[in-house]
Amino acid sequence: MQSYKKSKEACKEIYRPFFRLKICGKGVINMIKIKNLSKAYGDNLVLDNINLEIAEGEKLVIIGPSGSGKSTLIRCINRLEAPTKGEIFIADQLVTNKNKTEMAKKYTAMVFQQFNLYPHKTVLQNLTIAPIKLQGISKKDAEKSAMIYLERVGLANKANAYPQNLSGGQQQRVAIARALVTKQKIILFDEPTSALDPEMVQEVLDVMVELSKENITMICVTHEMGFARQVADRVIFMDDKRIVEEGTAEHFFTNPQNEITKLFLSKILH
């Protein structure tokens, strides 16, 4: 396995078939490596022998029909779902049931479909819980940081509001700010716009587009093809528990190779 530790040599970008990778010294900086991953619920196999490497700072978009295993895949990364077989490494460290909490504190944040905000706490309190309880940051510093990220998502004026007093789009923007405030290297997005009314989708996508300009590793399960085309370094198409095709956004949307991919895109883009 290539080391996550950076060489003293300057980093540079190179182009490989299908997608861009950042190179430091002689090796790719792999933030995540998935080896032979399978997941089953009883006799129901939902992921079948997934192998995937994700570079530091890469913007990876995962698309595919419902039931193809997309959400289960990203939930296995931070071990919200325990793999049945296989291994997942983050920054060269194997993620296990024993260390999953510490690994999540150190590396990953997640934005869910249903926001998952605490209804009995204000927006500001929702943002400061993790920094205070999990990262040991003082309340004063946590609140200062939270206000910076609320300003960034355009909701500083809602700091003292409760989730039930916000629109769906506003709640999801709060959820993104909550993910950002922990300053993790990886953010996982599980269909962040799927629960929103159509008129609220764009405000959330606009925040995610701005976020994609930073050196954060983003892995996003979505049905928003315009977003995928705009921000993805690489697009993965899943079907029937497996990765069927992958490539740059340009390759994927203009010259897909697999017949299943072509059929899926013909239905969703027209």
Side-chain angles (χ1 to χ4, degrees):
M1 181 186 305
Q2 295 161 331
S3 176
Y4 174 76
K5 295 179 181 179
K6 297 182 180 181
S7 162
K8 293 182 180 179
E9 298 179 47
C11 297
K12 63 180 180 179
E13 287 186 342
I14 68 167
Y15 290 84
R16 294 271 176 85
F18 296 137
F19 63 98
R20 185 176 72 248
L21 290 175
K22 187 188 292 182
I23 296 295
C24 287
K26 297 182 179 180
V28 176
I29 305 174
N30 283 323
M31 179 59 75
I32 299 168
K33 186 168 186 176
I34 300 171
K35 296 176 61 179
N36 306 318
L37 174 67
S38 295
K39 173 66 179 178
Y41 299 101
D43 294 331
N44 181 27
L45 184 66
V46 293
L47 289 174
D48 186 11
N49 197 38
I50 301 294
N51 288 278
L52 181 64
E53 295 184 6
I54 303 167
E56 181 185 18
E58 185 176 359
K59 312 302 181 275
L60 178 70
V61 173
I62 305 173
I63 67 174
S66 297
S68 58
K70 308 182 300 298
S71 292
T72 303
L73 174 57
I74 66 167
R75 290 173 68 87
C76 284
I77 291 174
N78 59 3
R79 219 170 176 89
L80 287 178
E81 299 283 356
T84 303
K85 294 181 181 179
E87 297 174 318
I88 297 175
F89 297 85
I90 297 179
D92 275 356
Q93 299 178 64
L94 177 65
V95 183
T96 65
N97 280 331
K98 185 176 181 179
N99 72 3
K100 64 180 180 180
T101 301
E102 287 303 314
M103 292 293 284
K105 289 180 187 178
K106 188 174 182 180
Y107 291 108
T108 64
M110 191 163 186
V111 178
F112 299 88
Q113 297 178 35
Q114 299 292 339
F115 324 137
N116 286 20
L117 301 176
Y118 293 103
H120 61 290
K121 294 187 179 294
T122 66
V123 166
L124 184 62
Q125 290 169 336
N126 267 278
L127 264 69
T128 58
I129 291 172
I132 293 172
K133 299 291 187 182
L134 300 180
Q135 298 178 320
I137 297 173
S138 70
K139 180 179 178 181
K140 180 180 178 181
D141 287 344
E143 289 182 346
K144 181 179 178 180
S145 182
M147 290 306 300
I148 290 171
Y149 287 104
L150 285 175
E151 180 70 37
R152 182 169 173 184
V153 300
L155 291 173
N157 63 332
K158 300 293 185 180
N160 295 316
Y162 287 86
Q164 63 264 31
N165 300 126
L166 303 179
S167 70
Q170 289 173 329
Q171 289 186 59
Q172 194 61 293
R173 284 153 61 195
V174 170
I176 293 172
R178 181 180 59 183
L180 292 173
V181 78
T182 57
K183 300 177 182 177
Q184 306 294 55
K185 297 176 183 295
I186 302 164
I187 301 183
L188 308 171
F189 295 87
D190 185 9
E191 299 195 38
T193 60
S194 65
L196 300 178
D197 292 333
E199 66 271 18
M200 298 176 183
V201 168
Q202 194 58 50
E203 65 185 82
V204 173
L205 293 180
D206 287 344
V207 171
M208 293 173 64
V209 168
E210 286 303 309
L211 179 60
S212 72
K213 299 174 184 177
E214 300 190 10
N215 189 37
I216 298 172
T217 304
M218 294 175 60
I219 306 170
C220 183
V221 173
T222 185
H223 292 290
E224 300 293 338
M225 296 300 105
F227 169 79
R229 200 164 194 163
Q230 183 175 358
V231 308
D233 294 315
R234 182 166 43 140
V235 178
I236 283 178
F237 175 67
M238 293 186 67
D239 186 61
D240 192 27
K241 307 176 282 289
R242 300 178 180 88
I243 295 174
V244 173
E245 186 164 356
E246 63 180 279
T248 62
E250 181 179 2
H251 157 85
F252 190 84
F253 289 108
T254 62
N255 190 31
Q257 301 299 303
N258 190 285
E259 292 302 320
I260 299 174
T261 311
K262 292 177 183 179
L263 179 60
F264 175 83
L265 291 175
S266 70
K267 293 178 179 179
I268 203 166
L269 294 178
H270 299 290

